Amino acid sequence: MDQVHEVVTGNRYPGRGVLWARTLSGALCGGYFLTGRSAASKARAVSRGEGELIVSPTGESEHDPLRHYVAARERGGWLVFGNGEQVAVVSDRLQEAQSPVEALGGLEYEPDPPIFTPRVTVVADLRSGREAWFGAARRSRGGRTAADVLTLAVRDLEPGDAVLMTTYRSDGRVVATGEPFLEVRTDAADRDELLEELWGALVPELRVAVAVFEPGRLADAAIRHEASARV
């Protein structure tokens, strides 16, 4: 099975990515990373809010819902993280007693032709500590405009196991929708090593930020930014 750093390094422009992993020490960790090609996409940072991680502009930019959003939220026994405003929607649905599959259903991909970026989301149950659900709202590869919504339940990861979703698959020139999900391995011993593994795998001129966090400890998330993206 491929290593996390090999898969990320081999995808020159992954867009945004979500990761659910168990480190070699046994700790479960969520990961979220951002890359960007345009000046506006690079001028972003991840900051801590009350029970949230927020992607916001570093300059005096107007709010852009495709670039600025709650990227992670812990509330009512659930951790939700992903690449857009659907994180808040899914979190609210879970508080209304919807199941993770129901909460991830009915989402749409981003309205950004011609790429139509998928919305990728992870839901983790803070009470059991065993289960997580990945969701991806993707545009059909055919002529349909309706979103294909995929869900994947992940249980009982062993140390070193990880599951990864990225919005894009790219050689740096052609950008396509990323694979539905990838099962990979990590040699990271803990949260901080996992952060460094992701950070080091991203192309320096495209990387913007990486955040890694343990369930129930979002306020202590480890965050790293490219120097030009820091607040």
Side-chain angles (χ1 to χ4, degrees):
M1 191 178 296
D2 291 335
Q3 296 288 312
V4 169
H5 66 87
E6 294 172 342
V7 172
V8 176
T9 298
N11 186 2
R12 182 171 176 80
Y13 180 47
R16 288 159 283 174
V18 291
L19 179 78
W20 185 244
R22 188 179 291 278
T23 66
L24 295 184
S25 66
L28 282 170
C29 290
Y32 184 62
F33 57 85
L34 304 161
T35 59
R37 296 187 297 180
S38 70
S41 291
K42 291 180 178 179
R44 294 181 293 173
V46 178
S47 60
R48 300 175 183 87
E50 187 172 349
E52 296 179 337
L53 296 181
I54 302 165
V55 176
S56 55
T58 57
E60 296 181 359
S61 302
E62 293 184 0
H63 177 73
D64 178 347
L66 296 184
R67 291 191 177 96
H68 313 137
Y69 47 85
V70 174
R73 176 180 286 174
E74 282 185 343
R75 183 174 297 171
W78 297 100
L79 166 65
V80 184
F81 58 99
N83 70 322
E85 292 190 329
Q86 83 276 6
V87 168
V89 172
V90 171
S91 178
D92 288 345
R93 289 175 177 177
L94 292 166
Q95 300 315 301
E96 296 167 359
Q98 292 190 27
S99 70
V101 173
E102 290 172 326
L104 290 166
L107 300 177
E108 297 293 334
Y109 49 80
E110 293 184 358
D112 60 342
I115 298 176
F116 297 108
T117 302
R119 293 194 190 274
V120 294
T121 316
V122 179
V123 173
D125 187 343
L126 299 179
R127 293 155 295 194
S128 75
R130 296 178 52 198
E131 296 178 286
W133 292 260
F134 282 70
R138 301 156 55 95
R139 183 179 171 90
S140 167
R141 294 183 185 231
R144 293 182 294 108
T145 59
D148 292 333
V149 181
L150 312 178
T151 58
L152 173 73
V154 177
R155 298 183 179 92
D156 298 333
L157 293 182
E158 296 292 333
D161 287 346
V163 181
L164 171 71
M165 274 187 182
T166 60
T167 56
Y168 305 141
R169 174 73 190 173
S170 175
D171 59 5
R173 299 183 301 275
V174 178
V175 179
T177 300
E179 292 88 344
F181 67 92
L182 294 165
E183 292 185 284
V184 290
R185 294 282 298 174
T186 178
D187 291 329
D190 54 28
R191 178 200 67 176
D192 293 334
E193 286 191 8
L194 185 59
L195 176 79
E196 293 305 316
E197 183 175 21
L198 288 171
W199 182 258
L202 295 170
V203 175
E205 59 265 32
L206 298 177
R207 67 189 177 195
V208 175
V210 176
V212 177
F213 36 86
E214 295 181 33
R217 299 180 58 189
L218 190 60
D220 297 325
I223 302 172
R224 188 165 178 184
H225 297 100
E226 193 61 42
S228 60
R230 291 196 183 106
V231 177

